[in-house]
Amino acid sequence: MNAAVWVRTLARLTPVVFGASALSVAGLFLFRAVIPLDDLQGSTDAVGNYLQTVGGIYAVLLAFVVYVVWAQFNEARGHVAREATELVDLFRTSAYLPGAARVAVQTGLFEYVRAVIEDEWPALARNDEAVVERVGHQLEAVWDAIHIDDPDGACQVAVYTQMIAMFNELTDIRTSRLTSARSRVPIAMKILLYSGAVLTVASMYFLAFNAVWLHATVTAALAGAIAHILFLIQDLDDPFAGDWSVAPRPFERARRAFERRRE
């Protein structure tokens, strides 16, 4: 991750963390102004047990969701790398096709990679299905190009068969990549995450701290930590947008490989 990404991430993350901490402290001072400390002294043990239970449940929930979105992010990154590798292999194998088919297939693959990098990647970030469908049609043109010439001889039949199998594998990987781009944490889960955050932080108000500054510090730290985790979940939930997004570098390497072989 380069310095620009660090700066951009901190610029977005800092207001979220400090804003949540400040809001939690403001709520605490309002609560302490309404509820006298003496009213909380007798229930300290009960509140402590309650907070331990609620906090434990919410911590498990956060850990589970972070694991899921991180796994989905890595899965999307894996699909990108596999698709780019399959494109390079298909491009190399197409060198054994008859003349017209070879030129058409290699040109089609080159244009598809260019469209993925320049058109589809920004479209995935903004959920533009029309552009994604248009780029998919460019890949279908490669399928048509494979069938321009009939194979002649055992060698070309073997290459033709291999090309068909590789193209089918390529389309399967593309489908997996697009599926991972559309996968999101369910709305009901997000409601549970955010309502659980409010409930957990608000539960801190019922603890009987004699020192207000200590009570405020602990509450702010908890709110900031939860806000940081929720920011991470929100960002990783869309693997092709945000600060931690899957980069099209494997496709860029594939395009450079195409250019070297076309020279």
Side-chain angles (χ1 to χ4, degrees):
M1 186 180 292
N2 56 40
V5 177
W6 275 97
V7 172
R8 185 171 66 248
T9 301
L10 288 174
R12 293 183 58 216
L13 177 61
T14 301
V16 173
V17 172
F18 282 94
S21 298
L23 188 62
S24 67
V25 171
L28 173 63
F29 281 121
L30 180 62
F31 181 83
R32 291 288 292 262
V34 174
I35 306 297
L37 181 62
D38 293 339
D39 293 348
L40 303 177
Q41 295 286 357
S43 59
T44 298
D45 292 339
V47 171
N49 293 332
Y50 160 79
L51 186 57
Q52 185 176 6
T53 302
V54 172
I57 294 173
Y58 188 65
V60 171
L61 175 63
L62 283 179
F64 170 74
V65 177
V66 168
Y67 172 80
V68 169
V69 295
W70 180 244
Q72 289 178 345
F73 179 85
N74 283 325
E75 187 178 59
R77 189 159 50 185
H79 292 323
V80 171
R82 287 180 58 206
E83 184 178 354
T85 301
E86 196 71 28
L87 284 165
V88 173
D89 292 343
L90 190 62
F91 191 93
R92 290 170 177 166
T93 307
S94 67
Y96 297 95
L97 290 174
R102 180 180 68 252
V103 173
V105 169
Q106 292 185 348
T107 301
L109 289 174
F110 186 87
E111 289 301 317
Y112 170 71
V113 170
R114 181 202 59 77
V116 169
I117 297 172
E118 298 178 5
D119 301 330
E120 189 170 67
W121 226 259
L124 290 175
R126 62 177 184 268
N127 296 318
D128 191 341
E129 292 293 334
V131 174
V132 173
E133 185 175 356
R134 176 168 56 80
V135 175
H137 290 161
Q138 290 188 252
L139 186 59
E140 289 300 319
V142 176
W143 173 257
D144 296 333
I146 295 174
H147 298 82
I148 288 179
D149 293 326
D150 294 328
D152 184 16
C155 180
Q156 287 190 4
V157 169
V159 171
Y160 179 79
T161 303
Q162 182 68 14
M163 289 284 294
I164 292 176
M166 294 174 69
F167 185 88
N168 289 335
E169 178 68 16
L170 174 63
T171 55
D172 290 344
I173 298 173
R174 172 179 167 80
T175 300
S176 298
R177 173 170 63 85
L178 296 180
T179 300
S180 64
R182 300 182 181 107
S183 299
R184 296 290 184 275
V185 174
I187 297 297
M189 180 67 77
K190 287 188 175 181
I191 293 174
L192 180 59
L193 286 172
Y194 288 102
S195 61
V198 174
L199 176 63
T200 303
V201 174
S203 297
M204 293 291 296
Y205 297 171
F206 293 93
L207 294 176
F209 282 82
N210 291 320
V212 178
W213 68 268
L214 181 60
H215 199 174
T217 300
V218 172
T219 302
L222 178 63
I226 292 176
H228 193 158
I229 297 173
L230 292 178
F231 177 89
L232 176 65
I233 292 172
Q234 181 67 28
D235 199 271
L236 291 178
D237 191 35
D238 189 350
F240 293 91
D243 295 313
W244 294 287
S245 58
V246 179
R249 294 190 187 93
F251 283 94
E252 293 169 352
R253 289 193 293 267
R255 180 165 61 177
R256 289 194 295 270
F258 292 175
E259 291 171 345
R260 287 193 299 268
R261 290 187 170 272
R262 294 179 70 183
E263 291 176 352

